[in-house]
């Protein structure tokens, strides 16, 4: 069985005959990072970048598998190049590494190496969407937020329609607006997700708009106008670009899903100084 080797910085990345380098500088690199986790992978409960890579490459989790479709198609089209080869990456021998996944898949049954296109859209997603900034979009779908506040100008210029709409989580979210919203949501007895775990840049559910009001007893009403909402439904996350007001949305790609900003990332990352840069396995004459 092929083995995983570690690239050395000591004398350059010299590899033994037949070994293939699969780090991020190659088409076989892992698009998921431990120091910058993708929000879709976080929401799917992936404990590591290697676990996210396995779910992505093998299709074991639909939401994760739908990310980076062009990159995955390219990788899978060249996967046979790795069959029977030792693979080299920078990870240490005891680390989780995507190279182990590549060894399993490249040397596994042929069906594991077939490219499956993204799953079809849920059949009940409405064609019209409204873009809502996080974490308010999350609150609509998970915390009973029954009012979406808008200006009277926005209502008068196209937001009078009733019926079911798709909920689009906007790509933008500032630190101040997140913490202000989180404090409000938490006061109502709900637990708002951490910022890196919130979907942004795509469709995450739908809700029915039943009225437009100028006053309401709902704790979610801030005015001056409010869309009255009911029957929220979640759906598998679908990347999509947003727009102002109601808009007709279409499936996008991973470029529409922004990575977490620095302030959104989980606290206490592993310090770089604790990572041993020296090789643990010999590579040729290194």
């Amino acid at each position: 069985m092929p083995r995983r080797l570690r690239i050395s910085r000591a004398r350059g990345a010299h590899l033994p005959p037949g070994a293939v380098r699969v780090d991020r500088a190659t088409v076989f690199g892992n698009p998921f990072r431990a120091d910058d986790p993708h929000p879709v992978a976080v929401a799917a409960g992936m404990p590591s970048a290697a676990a996210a890579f396995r779910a992505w490459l093998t299709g074991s989790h639909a939401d994760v598998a739908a990310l980076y479709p062009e990159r995955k198609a390219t990788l899978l089209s060249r996967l046979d190049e790795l069959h029977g080869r030792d693979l080299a990456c920078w990870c240490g021998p005891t680390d989780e590494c995507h190279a182990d996944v590549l060894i399993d898949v490249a040397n596994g049954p042929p069906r594991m190496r077939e490219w499956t296109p993204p799953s079809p859209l849920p059949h009940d997603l409405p064609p019209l969407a409204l873009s809502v900034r996080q974490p308010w979009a999350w609150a609509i779908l998970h915390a009973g937020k029954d009012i979406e506040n808008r200006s009277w100008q926005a209502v008068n210029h196209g937001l009078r329609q009733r019926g079911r709409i798709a909920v689009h989580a906007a790509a933008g979210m500032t630190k101040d607006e997140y913490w202000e919203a989180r404090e409000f949501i938490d006061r109502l007895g709900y637990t708002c997700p951490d910022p890196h775990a919130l979907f942004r840049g795509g469709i995450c559910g739908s809700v029915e708009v039943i009225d437009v009001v100028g006053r309401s007893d709902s704790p979610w009403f801030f005015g001056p106008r409010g869309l009255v909402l009911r029957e929220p439904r979640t759906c598998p996350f679908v990347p999509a670009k947003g727009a102002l007001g109601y808009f007709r949305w279409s499936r996008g790609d991973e470029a529409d899903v922004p990575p977490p900003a620095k302030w959104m990332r989980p606290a206490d990352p592993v310090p770089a100084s604790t990572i041993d840069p020296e090789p643990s396995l010999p590579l040729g004459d290194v």
Side-chain angles (χ1 to χ4, degrees):
M1 184 71 176
R3 59 177 180 158
R4 171 164 63 91
L5 307 177
R6 189 178 188 189
I7 301 172
S8 169
R9 291 181 175 88
R11 298 181 183 175
H14 300 296
L15 303 180
V20 179
R21 181 172 177 160
V22 294
D23 65 348
R24 296 187 197 281
T26 73
V27 297
F28 303 113
N30 189 353
F32 301 95
R33 302 181 63 96
D35 61 347
D36 190 9
H38 195 291
V40 174
V42 172
M46 298 297 145
S48 65
F53 181 82
R54 183 179 293 276
W56 175 69
L57 194 63
T58 64
S60 62
H61 192 287
D63 291 351
V64 177
L67 299 171
Y68 311 114
E70 294 182 359
R71 184 167 181 171
K72 181 159 65 171
T74 300
L75 190 159
L76 289 173
S77 71
R78 298 184 55 181
L79 197 61
D80 286 342
E81 299 175 23
L82 307 183
H83 182 73
R85 301 287 194 88
D86 292 337
L87 306 184
C89 191
W90 295 99
C91 298
T94 60
D95 297 335
E96 282 191 272
C97 181
H98 81 293
D100 294 320
V101 181
L102 288 172
I103 289 173
D104 291 344
V105 177
N107 297 280
R111 62 179 176 80
M112 293 182 66
R113 305 197 292 270
E114 296 175 356
W115 161 240
T116 302
S119 58
L121 297 175
H123 70 278
D124 60 346
L125 273 179
L128 288 183
L130 183 66
S131 191
V132 181
R133 294 176 77 85
Q134 291 284 30
W136 300 119
W138 175 88
I140 289 174
L141 298 172
H142 300 280
K145 185 175 186 290
D146 57 358
I147 296 286
E148 172 57 18
N149 298 282
R150 299 282 159 151
S151 67
W152 68 266
Q153 294 98 330
V155 171
N156 288 343
H157 290 84
L159 290 183
R160 292 187 173 277
Q161 179 171 327
R162 275 57 163 183
R164 183 158 291 274
I165 60 169
V167 177
H168 176 270
M173 179 176 67
T174 68
K175 185 176 181 179
D176 288 343
E177 67 187 4
Y178 168 78
W179 283 109
E180 181 180 358
R182 176 167 180 161
E183 290 174 3
F184 179 85
I185 292 169
D186 288 351
R187 284 200 304 270
L188 293 184
Y190 299 94
T191 302
C192 182
D194 291 335
H196 67 275
L198 290 167
F199 290 125
R200 291 182 299 121
I203 304 297
C204 49
S206 66
V207 72
E208 186 176 359
V209 180
I210 61 173
D211 201 359
V212 181
V213 297
R215 55 187 300 182
S216 171
D217 293 331
S218 170
W220 300 99
F221 181 81
F222 308 135
R225 296 290 185 271
L227 308 183
V228 183
L229 313 175
R230 71 177 183 185
E231 296 184 7
R233 302 173 188 166
T234 60
C235 73
F237 180 74
V238 183
K241 293 181 179 179
L244 295 177
Y246 290 132
F247 64 97
R248 291 192 173 274
W249 66 277
S250 60
R251 184 196 287 272
D253 54 35
E254 67 273 10
D256 301 317
V257 181
K262 185 176 181 180
W263 70 266
M264 302 178 189
R265 299 171 191 167
D268 301 323
V270 177
S273 60
T274 66
I275 301 175
D276 180 11
E278 296 302 321
S280 298
L281 290 178
L283 292 179
D285 58 356
V286 176

